[in-house]
Amino acid sequence: MSSELEKSRASIIKDVKLDLISSTAEADNELKRAQLARTFISDTITAPTKEMYAYGVLATLGDDVYHEPSTHALEAHVAKITGKEAGLFVSSGTMSNQIGLRTQLMQPPYTILCDHRAHIYKYEAGGAAFHSGAHVTAIVPQNGHHLTLDDIKGNVIYGPDVHFAPTEVIALENTLNGTIFPQEEITAISEFARSKGIKMHLDGARIWHVAAETGTSLKVLCEPFDSVSLCFSKGLGAPVGSILVGSQEFITRARRIRKLFGGGMRQTGLLAGCAAYALSNNFPLLPRVHALARKLEQGLKDIGVTILSPAETCMIFYDAPSIGTTYDEIAERALKLPEPLFLGGSRVVTHIQTTEAAVDDFLKLIADIAEEKKKAGFVKPQVNGDGKYHDVYVRRTH
Ligand SMILES: Cc1ncc(COP(=O)(O)O)c(C=O)c1O
């Protein structure tokens, strides 16, 4: 080999090299963990623990586009507990929903019917239109909480009138903004959908929370749906990953769409291992998470804060103007505390790494601000008393 070639190789090797573990990495990560325990912005921010990673590295080393044993074991397990024939591990909840919809939707023109707050409608970058060419009917629930069969019947499209794109999928979300969709209503919607040949998809990113809170099995919760997307990287605290479940025939087609979307991953055993660890060790922690959210709600009510959306599972939405302040003011003050708190907009999310102290400090901060505003002459206006739906301000990072 010429010395010229050797020299240029050595130079490229030098350029390519990267050491991203800083000398302060361990301390930085400890600080990060402490901050996560005081972050109410989302449950997606939960960090994998050393124990989770230690379990994950023991998983198999296959290539998931061909056959990855640990990943297949995870898919088979989640399919089993949700009462479906097969599962498909994917990188994110968005990908899982979008592959699910793309696989369900066969021949345009068609419409997807969903709640107007649905993740697939508001927060997936217009994916239903982009990937599936789907029109979306987004409905405001009449009761302010969840869609009912009446809402669906009033908006569903079928029949011979050529002006309309028929409803091909009804996509529900459970939990939605942390609230639990009553199962009887889902069953009624599903029976109606089936009678009209309409398919049912569930964005069950946080369906784990419904099972943990209500004691209803995942199988029962998922039964009314042809396809369900479940996430490991939110309430369950895994670093990456979601799963789509459905019939064998559906998942076989979805696997091809996953490849088409560029979502065929390779050595996913580590990720499947982390997801399995999350199922075994973190799922049982959810009741505590919900109790923290309820404590937050009660504390806010006691201070006189209006609750926009109740703590049915791991989130609440509150109204800062109801005590004469703004979300920005609260967030700024929270950052200046001796031990800062990290807040988004009206949404407050508890998660498996939230500490009780963080909840207490948040309530103390809100109480202090409310007191200051009162002293400065703020009087709470009489609004939002009609029991109807009020939109929420979500400065959302997921
Ligand atoms: C209800 C719901 N569905 C889907 C998603 C999308 O998940 P991801 O961020 O993994 O794409 C989210 C994200 O938080 C979500 O809250």
Side-chain angles (χ1 to χ4, degrees):
M1 202 192 313
S2 78
S3 65
E4 250 339 275
L5 179 57
E6 260 176 42
K7 253 189 13 222
S8 26
R9 274 189 186 149
S11 151
I12 296 168
I13 287 168
K14 194 162 155 267
D15 287 349
V16 168
K17 208 169 161 179
L18 172 69
D19 180 6
L20 49 71
I21 310 296
S22 78
S23 57
T24 58
E26 205 147 331
D28 294 346
N29 283 345
E30 276 320 304
L31 175 64
K32 186 73 193 168
R33 282 185 202 287
Q35 289 174 343
L36 295 179
R38 300 176 64 80
T39 300
F40 291 106
I41 293 170
S42 177
D43 50 4
T44 58
I45 51 92
T46 43
T49 57
K50 287 175 185 161
E51 292 78 13
M52 177 182 275
Y53 274 151
Y55 182 82
V57 293
L58 301 175
T60 49
L61 298 173
D63 178 324
D64 191 41
V65 170
Y66 301 110
H67 178 86
E68 206 308 293
S70 293
T71 311
H72 279 208
L74 174 71
E75 290 169 344
H77 175 72
V78 178
K80 186 168 150 239
I81 60 176
T82 55
K84 303 296 180 207
E85 287 173 6
L88 183 69
F89 184 67
V90 298
S91 62
S92 70
T94 301
M95 181 172 272
S96 189
N97 279 330
Q98 292 300 324
I99 292 176
L101 294 171
R102 180 59 286 195
T103 308
Q104 296 288 19
L105 295 164
M106 300 299 270
Q107 173 63 58
Y110 37 58
T111 297
I112 300 167
L113 196 152
C114 63
D115 191 299
H116 75 125
R117 302 161 296 174
H119 200 276
I120 61 148
Y121 175 59
K122 281 186 88 172
Y123 303 111
E124 296 191 3
F130 186 83
H131 298 300
S132 299
H135 182 62
V136 178
T137 308
I139 315 171
V140 178
Q142 293 295 306
N143 61 20
H145 185 271
H146 59 272
L147 292 176
T148 61
L149 181 56
D150 283 347
D151 291 326
I152 301 285
K153 282 184 174 168
N155 289 278
V156 74
I157 303 166
Y158 58 88
D161 190 333
V162 296
H163 291 88
F164 304 109
T167 306
E168 196 156 316
V169 172
I170 295 172
L172 304 182
E173 191 172 309
N174 198 12
T175 61
L176 194 162
N177 283 350
T179 61
I180 297 174
F181 207 131
Q183 195 63 17
E184 325 78 73
E185 199 67 51
I186 292 180
T187 305
I189 294 170
S190 163
E191 279 167 8
F192 170 76
R194 283 182 179 154
S195 75
K196 301 287 176 219
I198 297 169
K199 283 157 273 182
M200 295 280 293
H201 174 77
L202 175 66
D203 179 348
R206 296 183 181 82
I207 195 71
W208 314 108
H209 298 263
V210 184
E213 185 60 28
T214 63
T216 311
S217 72
L218 290 159
K219 189 161 179 248
V220 168
L221 294 171
C222 295
E223 197 286 322
F225 297 94
D226 299 288
S227 52
V228 181
S229 164
L230 306 94
C231 292
F232 302 114
S233 62
K234 300 178 176 65
L236 295 190
V240 175
S242 293
I243 194 160
L244 181 65
V245 294
S247 70
Q248 185 59 62
E249 185 269 337
F250 169 81
I251 292 297
T252 301
R253 287 191 291 115
R255 199 171 283 279
R256 190 184 297 267
I257 305 285
R258 184 184 71 171
K259 192 78 184 104
L260 171 72
F261 280 13
M265 298 182 283
R266 300 299 179 175
Q267 284 71 37
T268 50
L270 168 72
L271 300 178
C274 290
Y277 183 94
L279 290 173
S280 304
N281 298 280
N282 293 347
F283 176 67
L285 306 178
L286 293 181
R288 174 190 169 269
V289 172
H290 300 173
L292 286 177
R294 280 194 296 274
K295 179 173 174 177
L296 267 172
E297 179 181 1
Q298 192 52 55
L300 287 171
K301 279 182 179 163
D302 292 346
I303 297 164
V305 178
T306 300
I307 303 298
L308 300 170
S309 182
E312 294 181 21
T313 55
C314 66
M315 14 181 129
I316 61 153
F317 291 77
Y318 74 106
D319 189 37
S322 69
I323 50 163
T325 184
T326 63
Y327 301 107
D328 287 344
E329 181 181 9
I330 295 171
E332 279 157 27
R333 294 269 299 264
L335 283 177
K336 288 187 189 135
L337 291 173
E339 279 188 79
L341 292 166
F342 303 87
L343 302 166
S346 62
R347 188 174 80 157
V348 188
V349 184
T350 54
H351 52 75
I352 52 171
Q353 287 159 353
T354 305
T355 55
E356 187 107 26
V359 170
D360 293 340
D361 291 352
F362 174 69
L363 291 174
K364 166 93 174 56
L365 174 68
I366 299 292
D368 288 349
I369 294 176
E371 196 51 40
E372 285 166 27
K373 299 293 172 188
K374 231 189 251 166
K375 277 193 185 138
F378 176 77
V379 180
K380 188 176 178 178
Q382 288 301 310
V383 289
N384 292 359
D386 57 5
K388 289 268 195 282
Y389 173 76
H390 298 282
D391 208 349
V392 288
Y393 163 59
V394 189
R395 200 171 62 181
R396 190 170 168 132
T397 58
H398 281 75

